[in-house]
Amino acid sequence: MVKALTCFDPSIAANDNCRKLRIRKLLTTLEEHRHISSLLADQAEKQFHLICSESALQEELKAFSCHTQRVDQFWSHLFKRYPNTDAIQSVMEMVMIFFHGNSNVERGFSVNKECVVDNMKEETLIAQRLVYDGVMDHGKDIGNMDISKSLIHSYKNARSRLTEETKKREREDLENKVHKSKKRKLYLEKKELEFKIAKIKENATKEVEALTEEINSLNNTKL
């Protein structure tokens, strides 16, 4: 199956005969192990051959470099340009998960470690990761990123959102302090009452002991 998986290597995908043999082997293996249905296998095979046979795409497949590009990102960007490729996308995502396991998660932790600084808020880390992932999705080519109106609007309102979030945090901090203060006060009052109860019990015990001794003394008195 590992060899069959190389059908997604752009240099292999550019070779008509090799591509057909390996994608068929891959889909047959997945179907035999009941990971996909025969219908999905047929659709995926047709879609894969259809896009790889495009003359305009052949040059991109041959120009792919494993040293500067990632296979998953290459196909992800490619599928966005071609409609009706849901079947082959589904198969590709499945086999990528099979062979990479938790590599994306582990890579994500590695990126997070590089981003984190002392006293960083969780929201800041999330925001930085969103920016990082957005840049990576565009192949690190920031110059060709689509600057949408919503992105510009979000940028313009960033300061007001920061001010609002800061005020919200200040209110939450104040509420937490008040809550902790009340909780501390109740705790101290409870401890004081418990101390009084213990003191009363101690004094009562002493009085009982004194009265008991007095009774015993009277009992031992000879008439």
Side-chain angles (χ1 to χ4, degrees):
M1 185 173 177
V2 175
K3 185 177 181 180
L5 182 62
T6 59
C7 63
F8 294 129
D9 182 337
S11 62
I12 299 295
N15 186 308
D16 189 61
N17 292 329
C18 193
R19 179 186 71 246
K20 289 181 178 179
L21 290 173
R22 297 190 184 182
I23 188 64
R24 171 44 37 196
K25 176 63 176 177
L26 175 64
L27 295 172
T28 300
T29 303
L30 292 174
E31 186 180 346
E32 288 176 350
H33 288 80
R34 298 184 179 181
H35 292 303
I36 61 174
S37 64
S38 58
L39 177 61
L40 180 61
D42 291 340
Q43 291 176 341
E45 185 173 10
K46 290 178 182 178
Q47 292 173 5
F48 193 55
H49 291 320
L50 184 63
I51 61 175
C52 290
S53 299
E54 290 276 347
S55 57
L57 181 58
Q58 283 290 314
E59 293 300 321
E60 291 185 50
L61 293 172
K62 294 176 181 178
F64 176 85
S65 172
C66 62
H67 300 292
T68 58
Q69 295 173 278
R70 284 177 48 178
V71 174
D72 55 346
Q73 290 183 350
F74 174 83
W75 288 109
S76 177
H77 293 312
L78 193 63
F79 288 144
K80 291 178 182 178
R81 290 157 41 192
Y82 290 88
N84 302 322
T85 56
D86 54 320
I88 188 61
Q89 286 189 60
S90 177
V91 171
M92 185 175 291
E93 289 173 0
M94 182 185 301
V95 295
M96 290 292 181
I97 292 173
F98 283 167
F99 285 89
H100 289 285
N102 293 325
S103 61
N104 285 336
V105 176
E106 293 169 358
R107 184 162 51 249
F109 282 127
S110 178
V111 172
N112 288 351
K113 186 177 180 180
E114 294 179 5
C115 293
V116 171
V117 296
D118 292 340
N119 300 320
M120 176 180 283
K121 298 291 185 181
E122 179 182 358
E123 291 82 356
T124 304
L125 176 59
I126 293 173
Q128 289 192 0
R129 279 307 308 270
L130 288 173
V131 174
Y132 174 87
D133 292 340
V135 173
M136 294 300 293
D137 284 342
H138 285 78
K140 301 181 182 180
D141 188 2
I142 302 177
N144 289 328
M145 290 184 67
D146 180 26
I147 308 300
S148 62
K149 290 183 178 180
S150 60
L151 182 59
I152 296 174
H153 182 71
S154 178
Y155 170 76
K156 289 181 178 179
N157 292 324
R159 172 57 61 179
S160 61
R161 291 202 308 274
L162 175 61
T163 302
E164 183 180 347
E165 183 65 24
T166 301
K167 291 181 179 179
K168 179 182 176 182
R169 287 188 177 279
E170 289 175 350
R171 289 195 301 269
E172 290 176 350
D173 290 342
L174 180 59
E175 290 174 358
N176 287 334
K177 288 180 180 178
V178 171
H179 177 72
K180 288 181 179 179
S181 177
K182 289 181 178 179
K183 189 175 181 180
R184 176 67 178 173
K185 183 179 180 181
L186 289 174
Y187 172 79
L188 293 175
E189 289 178 353
K190 180 182 176 182
K191 284 296 181 182
E192 184 178 357
L193 291 174
E194 289 176 349
F195 176 77
K196 288 181 178 179
I197 291 173
K199 194 67 176 177
I200 291 172
K201 287 182 177 180
E202 181 182 355
N203 293 335
T205 300
K206 290 181 179 179
E207 289 183 11
V208 169
E209 290 176 352
L211 292 173
T212 301
E213 288 181 3
E214 187 175 346
I215 291 172
N216 291 335
S217 177
L218 291 174
N219 289 334
N220 294 329
T221 301
K222 293 181 180 180
L223 298 176

